[in-house]
Amino acid sequence: MKFDGAELAVGASAPSILCVDDEPNILSSLRRLLRAQGYRVLTAESGKAGLQLLEQEPVDLVISDMRMPEMDGAKFLEHVRAQWPDTVRMLLTGYADVSSILQAINRGEIYRYLTKPWDDDDLVLSVRHALERRALVQEKARLEALTQQQNEELRLLNTSLEAKVAERTAALQAANDKLKGSFITSIKVFSSLIELRGGNLAGHSRRVADLARKLAQRMGLDDKHKQDIFVAGLLCEIGKVGFPDELVAMPVSSMNSSQQEQYRSHVVKAEQLLLPLADLRAAALIIGAQLERFDGTGFPARLAREDIPLGGRILAVAADYDSLLSGTLAPKRYSKDAAKTLMVQQSGKRYDPSVIAFLLKELDG
């Protein structure tokens, strides 16, 4: 039975085998047999010489005789295991000394032992299997190392990606915060247009927005709703920009029917003005509902109770409370207590009772 060397090591140098025996004729026989199989064969006539050779160059497999002077095979293979653990170790023994074989197995951790005289086919097949097993073990170790390396690379890449994502997220958040700040600033500038008309309207929108946001906060609304209600407060008077000066300055209770009809139109104009803007659509609907009444007799759609958007019910309370204090609803300015009393009287009629309850909590601190 013969095995071509190329079959044993395709694309690689031929496996190297070290034969150690104190009998030159045994070494010659082993060299002749194994070279014919395509292996690279090295020989040494003692364990000491074998160790010196191993220190000079790597060897894939060692075949050692058991009985040798100075250093027997068990001792030699023990040294090989300690210094070159990846080298496969085989024992060749010419006598049935079980204790010696056990020493070699235990101390040298040999792959297999063969007896003299050996069968050529059996020896060649044992060597081939030993080298194949060694190749499999090395390939397994290589793949495990490669897997570990790739896992580490993936871990580092993941860490890098997480850092980049965090950095990008922070940058986007900063940009978003900047845009949000610019948006609110623009809204405040926009709301100031009506205040340029002077009179009782100065500061009204900002006070309404602040109070409406506080009420929304007390009622447990989420950030999006609070933001929309705050913006609606800032823009609640924007529909009055085209009003004549006398109408802007006139208290609502002093208006005749025609003037009141023109006054009420400001919520519709504001809603129509803001609805096309996606970011202001929710605020536009809130502004459009601020003159609806809880009892269903309001303007413009005569909505009642929960059919009125919650933001509109909150804005109505906040806007009217400040209007009573500033004198834009009646010819006189109401005190805080008087305004509070009047609004409580209108609870369930003009205003949502639950919003009035939160107004009282806010005012009473």
Side-chain angles (χ1 to χ4, degrees):
M1 183 183 298
K2 291 186 177 182
F3 305 97
D4 183 69
E7 179 186 347
L8 291 168
V10 177
S13 60
S16 56
I17 300 174
L18 171 61
C19 299
V20 182
D21 198 301
D22 61 333
E23 298 182 41
N25 61 320
I26 296 295
L27 292 177
S28 296
S29 297
L30 289 171
R31 181 170 54 242
R32 190 166 49 248
L33 173 64
L34 296 173
R35 279 183 176 175
Q37 309 306 315
Y39 299 118
R40 177 171 171 265
V41 181
L42 307 173
T43 61
E45 294 185 0
S46 67
K48 182 179 179 180
L51 293 176
Q52 291 174 346
L53 194 149
L54 285 168
E55 290 175 352
Q56 298 174 9
E57 57 181 298
V59 170
D60 298 304
L61 182 144
V62 171
I63 301 175
S64 175
D65 185 29
M66 181 61 199
R67 178 170 293 181
M68 296 183 295
E70 297 182 5
M71 183 186 299
D72 63 17
K75 187 66 174 176
F76 167 69
L77 294 176
E78 182 182 359
H79 282 296
V80 174
R81 180 191 65 80
Q83 298 181 60
W84 301 279
D86 293 337
T87 298
V88 183
R89 299 167 294 282
M90 297 179 64
L91 181 69
L92 195 61
T93 179
Y95 60 97
D97 188 343
V98 176
S99 63
S100 297
I101 295 174
L102 288 176
Q103 285 184 39
I105 292 174
N106 294 331
R107 293 159 56 188
E109 295 182 6
I110 64 172
Y111 170 75
R112 186 174 175 183
Y113 74 90
L114 301 169
T115 58
K116 297 178 182 178
W118 64 79
D119 177 270
D120 285 353
D121 289 342
D122 184 40
L123 187 146
V124 169
L125 188 60
S126 296
V127 167
R128 184 186 187 195
H129 286 171
L131 291 171
E132 287 176 345
R133 180 177 179 277
R134 180 178 185 272
L136 288 174
V137 170
Q138 289 181 327
E139 180 64 10
K140 178 175 177 291
R142 185 188 71 82
L143 292 175
E144 288 176 348
L146 179 61
T147 300
Q148 183 176 358
Q149 176 187 346
Q150 291 175 338
N151 286 339
E152 179 63 15
E153 290 174 353
L154 285 174
R155 186 189 67 79
L156 293 174
L157 178 60
N158 187 55
T159 300
S160 175
L161 287 175
E162 288 178 352
K164 289 180 179 178
V165 168
E167 181 181 349
R168 182 59 176 162
T169 300
L172 288 174
Q173 184 62 46
N176 185 57
D177 291 342
K178 185 177 180 180
L179 285 174
K180 186 182 294 185
S182 298
F183 174 72
I184 295 298
T185 300
S186 299
I187 294 300
K188 288 180 178 179
V189 171
F190 199 26
S191 70
S192 298
L193 291 175
I194 188 63
E195 297 183 5
L196 295 177
R197 307 290 295 275
N200 295 335
L201 291 179
H204 173 68
S205 297
R206 296 195 184 192
R207 294 192 300 270
V208 170
D210 287 336
L211 179 56
R213 180 166 55 183
K214 290 176 180 177
L215 294 177
Q217 175 72 32
R218 282 189 175 271
M219 297 176 72
L221 273 62
D222 60 37
D223 291 342
K224 177 64 169 60
H225 282 92
K226 287 187 290 186
Q227 172 87 356
D228 291 336
I229 290 170
F230 179 71
V231 171
L234 290 174
L235 299 176
C236 66
E237 303 289 319
I238 198 67
K240 296 180 180 179
V241 170
F243 281 8
D245 291 342
E246 63 271 14
L247 186 63
V248 171
M250 185 180 298
V252 177
S253 62
S254 301
M255 296 178 183
N256 59 37
S257 58
S258 176
Q259 290 170 328
Q260 286 187 4
E261 183 177 353
Q262 185 178 3
Y263 166 80
R264 288 196 300 267
S265 71
H266 83 85
V267 298
V268 177
K269 292 177 179 178
E271 182 177 5
Q272 292 173 344
L273 176 67
L274 301 176
L275 269 178
L277 304 174
D279 291 338
L280 296 177
R281 192 166 297 155
L285 296 175
I286 292 173
I287 293 170
Q290 65 178 306
L291 295 184
E292 297 286 359
R293 292 173 57 93
F294 194 72
D295 60 9
T297 62
F299 179 86
R302 302 178 70 85
L303 300 177
R305 298 180 175 274
E306 283 71 26
D307 290 338
I308 305 172
L310 178 56
R313 285 177 266 155
I314 293 173
L315 181 60
V317 169
D320 282 7
Y321 177 76
D322 190 79
S323 294
L324 287 170
L325 298 183
S326 62
T328 57
L329 277 183
K332 68 171 185 176
R333 294 173 181 263
Y334 280 71
S335 67
K336 292 182 179 180
D337 288 339
K340 184 166 59 174
T341 299
L342 182 61
M343 296 192 72
V344 169
Q345 292 174 354
Q346 290 296 313
S347 178
K349 301 174 184 177
R350 165 77 171 108
Y351 310 114
D352 181 344
S354 64
V355 180
I356 291 295
F358 282 104
L359 173 68
L360 297 180
K361 291 180 181 180
E362 178 63 30
L363 296 178
D364 294 338

